[in-house]
């Protein structure tokens, strides 16, 4: 049985859920909110089924090339966390899981409007990046028992950070008072860039032929807009983007009004930001840094080599350590710590994607 | 006077290192400088980094930028004095902060919990009050049962018109932060041990060759104290593709002329002997050996006679009990057959070694063809004989990463400590609970005060549950 139909249904459901969640914030209708949650849960169930099917298929695939492999070993090697595509799918799954937990615990749906766009952007990224969706054979470096745990815990951590990012952005939107405030300018630029990349990737997707889509992302990421061969298109892209960020800056208070009229309070958002980081930080430290170091030691003979991937995960770790220390010991509150939380997730994105796309390294992810 | 001034400056330095602001500044500095270190390729040839800088700053600025960055140590920044200094400051900061705060926290941890007056209880973040039917002596068991049910071992004190039960849990969890901080120091100590008492080398070992040294950097020779020999190196591929499935080196350790250890290593599965570990890192073809290797064949005649042969280029061999002989006249490291049946060499590495054999019968030329190592169907001869191409040996080397790091166990210990520390710091909390029961008009008033240093909401839920159970039980019992 193929998993792709379930993945497609879940991707469609999440994007639909994003639209409904945003509609819910705009119209504040409870029935709309319930619809958003139902669609999200429907998508989550489909995605869980898809992940399981893919695991079973990978298991058969692994056994076909390694007939003498034991059950547990095969199960570990077949875990659907083996390449860029699978890890991004798992990131979306974890993000939605954590979002649903928070939604049920805090009895508040509004955060969905900030978390589902992260899921949608990731799904759009998967499609536009043209990363292979096939089950691929496992290269020797990835044939380790650490693969499953390292990737699993890292991505649960990333997803928790993703939720904290959504909450921190919403928090900054709610708490800023004037357009001249640095925090206000900061959020309008971050949200602006976020949306511009989403839209630009959509344009990429529309402008590409099926053959081109199979090529590696580096060759055409934002090629239809910012990196176009035509100088005119590049100039227009920049002008439109700057105008777009300006528009967000100019009309951003509308968002604040909507958020204030809902039952969310800045305190609640601050707490969600902190709680997600309090879950993400230990997970990321253990799974990302420590298990990564142990694995590196058994594969390459050094637990720490300052390669770009390692260094960027350390940078991410320091940013969140900064968040925790400034909040707890230095007693910073409010905008300043929320900005650190936002920067933290930008570092996460760079650790995961930027390093592979822009910098060299030993990691296999992003190469296939 | 002089002494006093010195003292104040010492105090100032101490205060600086005891401040979290310093930690925040160091976090930011390490992060920001590290970004530069990930953009520039570390320890690379100048040309490579000038190329990167040209992309970023343009051709005219790149050489100047390079010179500045090189002077500042950014080309090998994680070993530059200022980066090491940042790490030392961070470590000192952790130590001083802990020394400064630990005594106070230790006092809180060791402090036994005391009974409280009612006004005090009502001031706690979590406080509740309910009235139960019956006198305190009658409801006492139910109340203490509920406290125990919530997982608290309580102390009891008799009061004028009732009792007070008080208890605390997880007081040691306040130390979680310090365990985490301590683990960072342990990891740093492990890293220092590795730097001073370990080495990081490499060794390219041809099949059949032996070495008693490894190499570090460009020319530095590190004696191993024993010999290591590569008996064979093999790459396995997935199916017919060139996607590697496994790299495997068959190694033998020889000490004082005796073979003491034999092991085949693969990526993620190294060999360790006397504290020195050999990792599968790379491999390659030795061009000057290419024609001089040994062909390992297993020849099976039609009637099942097997002969194992080791041959060289140009050698002739016979198929047992026949008059057919073959002569090796050509070879390729990686041969492919296209749809038209044409053969071509497609790689410089030994991805699919092939040998061209000229077969004769009783001295008369019969036929000739390619035998490919990864294509067993090319091994079959028309008469039913079979020439299995097992290996072409002695022309490849295995690239080994050779490493000794006595600090690695200290680092692992630090990792375990950090995991425990983080668990305590984030998922455990110091909870304190006071329950006072007082007689009031033949009934009992229950006053509860409670605090938790973390995750108050969860503790509040627990107490609410405890109370609802208590009042429910009383209703049911009547």
């Amino acid at each position: 049985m193929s998993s792709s139909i379930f993945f497609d249904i879940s991707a469609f459901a999440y994007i639909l859920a994003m639209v409904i969640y945003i509609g819910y914030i705009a119209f504040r209708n409870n029935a709309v909110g319930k619809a958003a949650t139902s669609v999200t849960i429907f998508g989550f169930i489909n995605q869980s089924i898809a992940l399981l099917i893919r695991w079973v298929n990978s298991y058969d695939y692994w056994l076909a090339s390694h007939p003498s492999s034991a059950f547990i070993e095969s199960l570990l090697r077949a875990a659907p966390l083996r390449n860029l595509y699978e890890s991004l799918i798992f990131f979306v799954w974890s993000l939605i899981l954590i979002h649903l937990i928070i939604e049920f615990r805090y009895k508040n749906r509004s955060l969905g409007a900030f978390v589902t766009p992260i899921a949608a952007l990731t799904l759009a990224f998967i499609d536009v990046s043209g990363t292979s969706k096939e089950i691929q054979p496992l290269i020797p470096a990835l044939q380790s028992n650490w693969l499953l745990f390292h990737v699993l815990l890292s991505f649960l951590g990333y997803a928790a950070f993703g939720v904290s990012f959504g909450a921190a952005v919403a928090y900054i939107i709610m708490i800023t008072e004037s357009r001249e405030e640095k925090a206000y300018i900061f959020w309008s630029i971050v949200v602006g860039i976020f949306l511009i990349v989403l839209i630009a990737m959509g344009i990429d997707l529309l402008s590409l032929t099926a053959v081109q889509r199979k090529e590696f992302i580096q060759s055409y990421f934002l090629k239809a807009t910012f990196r176009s061969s035509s100088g005119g298109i590049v100039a227009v892209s920049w002008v439109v983007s700057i105008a777009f960020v300006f528009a967000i800056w100019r009309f951003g208070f509308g968002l604040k009004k909507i958020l204030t009229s809902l039952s969310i309070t800045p305190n609640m958002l601050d707490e969600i930001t902190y709680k997600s980081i309090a879950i993400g930080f230990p997970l990321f430290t253990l799974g990302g840094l420590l298990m990564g170091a142990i694995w590196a030691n058994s594969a390459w003979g050094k637990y720490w080599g300052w390669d770009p991937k390692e260094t960027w995960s350390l940078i991410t770790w320091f940013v969140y350590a900064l968040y925790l220390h400034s909040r707890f010991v230095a007693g910073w509150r409010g905008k300043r710590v929320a900005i650190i939380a936002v920067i933290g997730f930008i570092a996460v994105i760079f650790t995961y994607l930027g390093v592979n796309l822009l910098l060299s390294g030993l990691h296999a992810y992003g190469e296939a | 006077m002089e002494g006093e001034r010195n003292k104040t400056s010492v105090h100032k330095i101490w205060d600086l290192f005891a401040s979290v602001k310093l930690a925040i500044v160091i976090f930011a500095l390490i992060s920001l400088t590290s970004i530069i270190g990930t953009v520039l390729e570390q320890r690379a040839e100048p040309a490579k980094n000038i190329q990167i800088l040209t992309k970023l700053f343009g051709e005219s600025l790149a050489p100047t930028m390079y010179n500045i960055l090189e002077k500042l140590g950014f080309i090998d920044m994680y070993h530059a004095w200022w980066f090491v200094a940042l790490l030392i400051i961070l470590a000192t900061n952790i130590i001083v902060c802990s020394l400064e705060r630990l005594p106070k926290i230790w006092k809180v941890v060791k402090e036994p919990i005391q009974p409280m007056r009612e006004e005090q209880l009502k001031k706690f973040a979590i406080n509740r009050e309910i009235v139960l039917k019956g006198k305190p002596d009658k409801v006492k068991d139910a109340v203490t049962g509920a406290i125990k049910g919530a997982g608290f071992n309580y102390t009891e004190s008799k009061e004028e018109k009732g009792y007070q039960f008080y208890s605390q849990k997880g007081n040691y969890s306040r130390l979680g932060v310090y365990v985490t901080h301590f683990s960072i120091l342990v990891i740093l100590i492990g890293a220092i041990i590795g730097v001073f008492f370990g080495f990081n080398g490499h060794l390219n070992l041809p099949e059949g060759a032996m070495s008693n040294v490894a190499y570090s950097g460009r020319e530095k020779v590190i004696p191993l104290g024993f010999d290591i020999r590569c008996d064979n190196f093999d790459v396995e591929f997935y199916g017919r593709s060139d996607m590697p499935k496994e790299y495997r080196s068959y190694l033998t350790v020889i000490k004082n002329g005796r073979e003491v250890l034999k092991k085949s290593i693969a990526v993620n599965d190294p060999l360790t002997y006397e504290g020195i570990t050999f990792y599968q890192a790379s491999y390659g073809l030795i061009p000057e050996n290419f024609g001089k290797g040994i062909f390992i064949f297993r020849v099976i005649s039609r009637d099942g006679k097997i002969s194992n042969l080791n041959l060289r280029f140009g050698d002739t061999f016979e198929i047992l009990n026949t008059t057919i002989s073959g002569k090796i006249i050509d070879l390729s490291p990686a041969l492919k057959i296209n749809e038209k049946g044409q053969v071509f060499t497609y790689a410089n590495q030994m991805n699919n070694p092939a040998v061209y054999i000229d077969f004769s019968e009783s001295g008369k030329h019969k036929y000739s063809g390619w035998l490919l190592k990864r294509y067993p169907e090319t091994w079959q001869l028309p008469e039913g004989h079979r020439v299995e191409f097992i290996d072409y040996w002695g022309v490849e080397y295995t690239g080994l990463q050779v490493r000794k790091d006595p600090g690695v166990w200290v680092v692992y210990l630090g990792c375990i400590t950090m995991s425990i520390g983080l668990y305590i710091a984030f998922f455990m909390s110091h909870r304190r609970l006071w329950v006072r029961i007082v007689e009031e008009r033949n009934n009992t008033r229950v006053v509860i005060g409670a605090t938790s240093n973390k995750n108050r909401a969860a503790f509040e839920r627990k107490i609410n549950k405890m109370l609802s159970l208590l009042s429910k039980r009383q209703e049911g019992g009547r």
Side-chain angles (χ1 to χ4, degrees):
Chain A
M1 190 159 49
S2 167
S3 57
S4 61
I5 176 82
F6 292 99
F7 277 131
D8 290 346
I9 292 172
S10 69
F12 181 73
Y14 292 153
I15 290 166
L16 186 67
M18 172 181 81
V19 174
I20 306 176
Y21 271 119
I22 291 170
Y24 168 69
I25 307 207
F27 302 114
R28 279 165 274 147
N29 180 324
N30 235 353
V32 175
K34 276 189 186 134
T37 309
S38 312
V39 172
T40 311
I41 293 172
F42 175 73
F44 185 73
I45 292 168
N46 269 287
Q47 202 187 5
S48 308
I49 295 170
L51 280 170
L52 278 176
I53 294 174
R54 193 164 171 104
W55 199 331
V56 171
N57 290 346
S58 307
Y59 178 86
D60 294 339
Y61 188 92
W62 170 263
L63 268 193
S65 57
H66 299 81
S68 59
S69 171
F71 174 70
I72 296 289
E73 187 193 343
S74 309
L75 214 56
L76 288 170
R77 300 291 184 277
L81 299 166
R82 316 174 344 150
N83 57 24
L84 183 65
Y85 169 70
E86 289 175 335
S87 62
L88 287 172
I89 287 286
F90 182 71
F91 170 73
V92 172
W93 185 86
S94 322
L95 191 70
I96 298 293
L97 174 71
I98 291 173
H99 163 63
L100 285 173
I101 292 173
I102 288 175
E103 186 173 313
F104 280 96
R105 271 194 81 155
Y106 288 83
K107 309 260 179 285
N108 196 303
R109 294 204 165 88
S110 315
L111 193 67
F114 292 85
V115 173
T116 46
I118 305 173
L121 180 66
T122 314
L123 292 168
F125 181 84
I126 290 171
D127 264 317
V128 78
S129 69
T131 172
S132 169
K133 297 179 182 179
E134 302 292 308
I135 294 172
Q136 290 152 337
L138 212 54
I139 59 164
L142 296 183
Q143 291 171 22
S144 164
N145 292 344
W146 291 109
L147 173 68
L148 175 63
F149 305 109
H150 172 62
V151 182
L152 188 84
L153 293 181
S154 300
F155 272 83
L156 284 172
Y158 287 174
F161 290 149
V163 172
S164 80
F165 169 76
V169 169
Y171 176 85
I172 299 171
I173 291 175
M174 283 195 83
I175 205 145
T176 42
E177 302 279 334
S178 94
R179 288 193 191 95
E180 275 68 50
E181 258 182 85
K182 281 184 195 121
Y184 183 91
I185 297 168
F186 176 77
W187 85 250
S188 43
I189 291 175
V190 169
V191 171
I193 292 173
F194 199 83
L195 293 174
I196 288 166
V197 172
L198 185 67
I199 295 165
M201 279 174 45
I203 297 172
D204 277 340
L205 190 62
L206 293 174
S207 69
L208 290 171
T209 62
V211 179
Q212 284 171 314
R213 278 180 208 170
K214 285 200 178 111
E215 279 169 32
F216 180 48
I217 174 146
Q218 261 171 332
S219 54
Y220 58 80
F221 180 60
L222 302 187
K223 269 282 154 74
T225 48
F226 296 94
R227 296 171 63 206
S228 168
S229 53
S230 147
I233 293 177
V234 175
V236 169
S237 305
W238 280 104
V239 169
V240 169
S241 302
I242 290 164
F244 186 72
V245 171
F246 182 78
I248 291 177
W249 174 79
R250 182 66 188 75
F251 302 109
F253 275 119
L255 258 179
K256 181 181 171 169
K257 271 191 204 129
I258 292 166
L259 285 175
T260 325
S261 68
L262 290 163
S263 53
I264 11 178
T265 61
N267 271 343
M268 188 192 280
L269 290 170
D270 180 56
E271 198 184 324
I272 292 172
T273 308
Y274 164 66
K275 288 242 160 102
S276 333
I277 291 174
I279 293 167
F281 189 76
L283 285 176
F284 174 66
T285 311
L286 177 65
L289 287 174
L290 302 184
M291 288 185 176
I294 295 169
W295 186 5
N297 191 47
S298 71
W300 302 318
K302 45 186 172 183
Y303 52 83
W304 194 263
W306 294 108
D307 90 277
K309 194 86 173 179
E310 289 169 343
T311 311
W312 267 98
S313 36
L314 187 71
I315 292 169
T316 304
W317 191 75
F318 271 122
V319 176
Y320 284 109
L322 192 81
Y323 174 90
L324 294 166
H325 284 84
S326 54
R327 196 186 148 101
F328 277 101
V329 202
W332 293 5
R333 274 291 184 278
K335 281 174 275 184
R336 274 203 282 189
V337 281
I339 287 172
I340 300 172
V342 171
I343 293 171
F345 192 65
I346 294 171
V348 167
I349 295 174
F350 203 84
T351 303
Y352 187 57
L353 297 172
V355 171
N356 297 109
L357 298 180
L358 304 172
L359 308 167
S360 60
L362 290 160
H363 274 67
Y365 284 176
E367 280 163 23
Chain B
M1 211 50 196
E2 192 68 33
E4 216 164 73
R5 196 181 294 158
N6 278 343
K7 200 178 164 191
T8 54
S9 65
V10 166
H11 267 238
K12 268 183 195 160
I13 292 171
W14 177 269
D15 286 347
L16 174 70
F17 277 102
S19 77
V20 184
K21 292 227 172 84
L22 179 70
I24 290 173
V25 170
I26 295 293
F27 288 170
L29 279 177
I30 291 179
S31 301
L32 291 173
T33 52
S34 293
I35 294 175
I36 301 173
T38 61
V39 173
L40 295 174
E41 199 167 314
Q42 297 294 297
R43 293 177 162 181
E45 302 290 318
K48 232 172 191 173
N49 281 318
I50 289 175
Q51 201 186 342
I52 294 169
L53 290 169
T54 308
K55 269 191 197 157
L56 293 172
F57 300 103
E59 212 154 309
S60 52
L61 273 175
T64 334
M65 285 298 291
Y66 182 82
N67 285 338
I68 295 169
L69 288 169
E70 198 198 12
K71 287 233 166 63
L72 292 173
F74 274 101
I75 305 305
D76 188 11
M77 68 158 274
Y78 304 110
H79 303 91
W81 66 267
W82 52 265
F83 193 78
V84 174
L86 283 177
L87 293 177
I88 293 171
I89 294 171
L90 181 66
T92 317
N93 191 209
I94 291 172
I95 296 168
V96 175
C97 272
S98 300
L99 288 177
E100 185 85 3
R101 281 151 222 260
L102 208 48
K104 286 179 220 154
I105 297 292
W106 186 249
K107 226 179 118 192
V108 176
V109 168
K110 293 308 276 182
E111 196 175 36
I113 186 165
Q114 299 288 344
M116 294 267 175
R117 279 176 290 116
E118 188 161 327
E119 311 87 75
Q120 287 173 304
L121 290 188
K122 286 186 171 163
K123 276 185 198 139
F124 281 121
I126 307 170
N127 64 78
R128 296 281 184 281
E129 192 175 319
I130 55 163
V131 176
L132 297 176
K133 293 249 172 344
K135 290 195 173 181
D137 284 311
K138 223 181 108 196
V139 300
K140 188 183 159 195
D141 285 348
V143 171
T144 55
I147 296 172
K148 268 190 201 155
F152 284 89
N153 287 319
Y154 59 89
T155 316
E156 181 181 320
S157 74
K158 179 88 184 82
E159 292 184 344
E160 204 181 324
K161 287 163 83 183
Y163 299 92
Q164 189 168 155
F165 313 102
Y166 44 92
S167 175
Q168 62 176 346
K169 242 172 78 171
N171 38 341
Y172 283 95
S173 76
R174 287 184 184 268
L175 298 174
V177 174
Y178 300 93
V179 174
T180 309
H181 285 163
F182 175 70
S183 73
I184 295 172
L185 298 177
V186 174
I187 290 173
L188 288 175
I189 289 167
I192 292 167
I193 293 173
V195 167
F196 284 101
F197 302 102
F199 64 80
N200 184 9
H202 57 88
L203 175 64
N204 288 346
L205 207 53
E207 286 175 317
M210 199 159 84
S211 174
N212 55 10
V213 293
Y215 302 89
S216 169
R218 301 245 154 82
E219 291 301 317
K220 206 179 149 211
V221 176
I222 306 159
L224 298 173
F226 53 84
D227 286 291
I228 182 107
R229 188 179 69 210
C230 173
D231 296 323
N232 192 14
F233 172 77
D234 227 351
V235 193
E236 238 186 280
F237 297 91
Y238 282 102
R240 290 270 155 112
S241 77
D242 283 302
M243 174 91 136
K245 183 175 161 187
E246 190 176 71
Y247 306 110
R248 195 164 276 283
S249 300
Y250 296 80
L251 301 179
T252 303
V253 175
I254 297 145
K255 176 119 185 169
N256 303 327
R258 242 166 24 92
E259 288 186 4
V260 286
L261 183 63
K262 257 183 188 300
K263 188 186 172 184
S264 71
I265 66 162
V267 184
N268 282 310
D269 183 17
L271 173 153
T272 304
Y273 185 72
E274 289 187 347
I276 299 175
T277 308
F278 297 86
Y279 298 87
Q280 183 66 54
S282 66
Y283 70 101
L285 190 71
I286 309 161
E288 61 270 27
N289 282 11
F290 183 56
K292 300 176 200 157
I294 293 170
F295 298 89
I296 301 172
F297 287 172
R298 182 161 63 196
V299 181
I300 306 163
S301 67
R302 192 173 41 195
D303 45 0
K305 293 268 180 333
I306 298 172
S307 52
N308 292 306
L309 302 173
N310 292 343
L311 304 162
R312 287 189 182 275
F313 193 84
D315 280 359
T316 303
F317 61 95
E318 270 172 19
I319 297 172
L320 274 183
N321 295 342
T322 68
T323 51
I324 299 176
S325 67
K327 185 175 187 202
I328 300 169
I329 59 171
D330 199 2
L331 77 135
S332 158
L335 207 68
K336 214 171 221 168
I337 305 173
N338 67 12
E339 297 92 37
K340 291 178 192 158
Q342 293 161 323
V343 292
F344 59 97
T345 295
Y346 69 97
N348 299 325
Q349 294 289 341
M350 291 244 295
N351 283 23
N352 191 7
V355 56
Y356 195 80
I357 301 177
D358 207 10
F359 287 97
S360 321
E361 190 163 18
S362 316
K364 258 179 41 204
H365 176 80
K366 209 167 154 61
Y367 45 76
S368 53
W370 284 101
L371 271 61
L372 284 71
K373 192 187 159 198
R374 284 171 62 199
Y375 295 0
E377 69 270 16
T378 62
W379 302 345
Q380 204 66 41
L381 301 187
E383 290 80 11
H385 311 297
R386 195 173 157 85
V387 181
E388 296 188 348
F389 185 8
I390 307 299
D391 199 8
Y392 183 45
W393 186 87
V395 296
E396 277 180 299
Y397 67 83
T398 178
L400 302 170
Q401 170 103 4
V402 186
R403 192 163 165 95
K404 181 180 169 181
D405 191 347
V408 74
W409 294 107
V410 180
V411 171
Y412 282 3
L413 190 73
C415 289
I416 294 167
T417 313
M418 186 182 277
S419 310
I420 297 168
L422 285 172
Y423 181 81
I424 298 170
F426 284 99
F427 302 118
M428 286 170 79
S429 51
H430 180 194
R431 291 172 167 184
R432 282 180 284 187
L433 173 68
W434 289 266
V435 181
R436 187 160 185 262
I437 54 175
V438 204
E439 188 184 332
E440 211 174 72
R441 278 172 270 145
N442 285 331
N443 284 333
T444 304
R445 202 156 50 84
V446 182
V447 182
I448 292 179
T451 65
S452 174
N453 67 334
K454 258 172 278 161
N455 206 358
R456 199 176 74 204
F459 193 31
E460 214 161 348
R461 274 196 295 274
K462 194 162 207 174
I463 285 169
N464 288 343
K465 206 174 142 198
M466 188 174 110
L467 280 175
S468 72
L469 272 176
L470 202 57
S471 43
K472 235 183 247 163
R473 191 184 299 167
Q474 207 185 28
E475 275 164 29
R478 236 166 2 131

